[in-house]
Structure formats: C-alpha cells, structure tokens
Amino acid sequence: MAGQTEESAAERARERERAERAKNAASGSSALSRSRGRLDLPRAPRRTLLPEYDPEAFGRVSERIARFLGTGRFIVWMTMVIILWVLWNVFAPATLRFDEYPFIFLTLALSLQASYAAPLILLAQNRQDDRDRVNLEQDRKQNERSIADTEYLTREIAALRMGLGEVATRDWIRSEFQDLIKEMDERRLLPAERDEGDR
C-alpha cells in the first residue's frame, strides 16, 4: 500500500512537470528558463569581440611609462634622437634620406608619441589619486583613533588626579605625625607642670 502511494506521488510530480513545460513552451519562456541555469552558481563569462586585459597590469605599465617620461633621461634621449634625425636627413646622401626637409615623418612620430603619452600620464595620475585617497582615509581613521585614545588617557589622568587628592601623601602623613608628637609632648609636659605647681 505504501509502495502504491509513493508511485502515485511520483506520477503526480511527473504530470506537474509536463504541465509546467507545456505552459512554458506556450508562453515562450522555456528558452529563457533553460539559459538561466542555477541561481546559486555564477554565470559563465560571456565571449566578447574585444580583447580582455588586466586593468592592474595595464595601470602598472602605464605608471612605469609615465614615470620614465617625466625624467631628464627621457628628455636627453629624445633630444639626441631628434638631433640625429635632423642631421641625418639634412647631411646624408639623398638616396639614404628617409624624411626630407619639412620632416613630416618626424612630426608624425612626435605627435603620435604625445598622443599616447598624455592618456598614459593621466591614467598614472588617476591611479596615484586613488592611492592618495586611500592613504588619506587611513590617515583620517588613524587620527580619529589617536584622538579617541588621547581623550581616554586625559579622562584617566583626571580621574587619577581626583583620586590622588583623597590619598594620603608622605608629606601629609609626616605633618600629621609631627602634630601628634607635639600634642603628646604637650600632654607630657602638662602633668609635669601640674606636679611642680602643686609643690
């Protein structure tokens, strides 16, 4: 009997699945539900026509290039290349010259270098700004912690001062002992004076 109920329950579940599939097929959403897959798993990366690159690696390379472009070494090398370029194309035999007097190819090369250098420098500056922003945020948090620690220590020192105001110090105890000794001496002298006065 239990076997028959399990079989009928399984049969009803299959029947519901068929009805659900038929309903989805009629509404046209079966392709959508099939392509979604499981919701607890990440989607597979889509294929794109654009090349993929690592932004961090590209940023590090751009920073190196920008750092080199900002050195005196780059200016010296660039100046030497331009001077050699001009001298070669002015004084070399006509058959060996590759860029005649208006130096159009040199102008093109320099403008191409400038058009790539500017965005690389901006990218490097943006990355430096991001790092500075993170450092400033960390400094701000550190300063807040330092201020909180200082305020806590100030309160503790004030509490200690107030507590020390009620604690007997060495000088206070010494003065109290001296007062007691004087009082005891006075009490000893008084009975001796009374005895002498009685005589």
Side-chain angles (χ1 to χ4, degrees), residues 3-191:
Q4 290 177 348
T5 57
E6 288 176 10
E7 288 176 14
S8 63
E11 188 64 36
R12 281 188 298 236
R14 283 190 217 113
E15 193 62 40
R16 269 184 277 178
E17 279 185 49
R18 281 189 217 121
E20 187 74 27
R21 281 191 211 133
K23 182 180 170 185
N24 287 341
S27 65
S29 65
S30 64
L32 179 65
S33 64
R34 242 184 275 134
S35 67
R36 276 197 176 176
R38 294 180 53 176
L39 295 177
D40 61 339
L41 297 176
R43 286 186 177 177
R46 295 182 182 178
R47 291 185 179 180
T48 61
L49 297 176
L50 299 174
E52 293 184 19
Y53 67 95
D54 181 17
E56 281 299 312
F58 186 75
R60 284 192 298 271
V61 169
S62 69
E63 283 179 340
R64 285 186 191 143
I65 293 171
R67 202 171 290 127
F68 175 69
L69 291 177
T71 61
R73 179 182 296 165
F74 172 75
I75 294 172
V76 168
W77 280 106
M78 188 72 146
T79 304
M80 288 175 57
V81 166
I82 291 172
I83 289 171
L84 287 173
W85 187 295
V86 169
L87 290 176
W88 180 267
N89 287 301
V90 168
F91 296 114
T95 56
L96 296 176
R97 293 180 194 165
F98 56 89
D99 193 15
E100 291 295 324
Y101 164 67
F103 306 117
I104 295 172
F105 187 50
L106 176 64
T107 307
L108 177 67
L110 291 176
S111 64
L112 183 66
Q113 180 265 331
S115 67
Y116 273 98
L120 288 175
I121 291 170
L122 287 175
L123 179 62
Q125 286 176 344
N126 289 341
R127 285 174 54 89
Q128 184 63 42
D129 288 343
D130 292 342
R131 277 195 299 271
D132 290 344
R133 193 175 304 114
V134 168
N135 288 339
L136 286 174
E137 182 67 22
Q138 289 174 348
D139 289 345
R140 187 185 63 78
K141 287 180 181 176
Q142 181 66 35
N143 288 341
E144 287 176 358
R145 283 192 298 265
S146 297
I147 289 170
D149 290 345
T150 304
E151 288 174 354
Y152 171 75
L153 290 174
T154 304
R155 285 192 301 272
E156 289 296 314
I157 290 171
L160 285 172
R161 282 184 179 170
M162 289 172 60
L164 282 176
E166 299 169 5
V167 173
T169 61
R170 187 177 2 164
D171 293 336
W172 182 80
I173 292 173
R174 187 177 293 146
S175 67
E176 288 296 314
F177 277 140
Q178 287 172 353
D179 290 344
L180 278 172
I181 291 170
K182 284 180 187 176
E183 190 177 318
M184 289 172 60
D185 285 344
E186 287 175 3
R187 284 186 186 171
R188 278 191 213 138
L189 289 176
L190 283 178

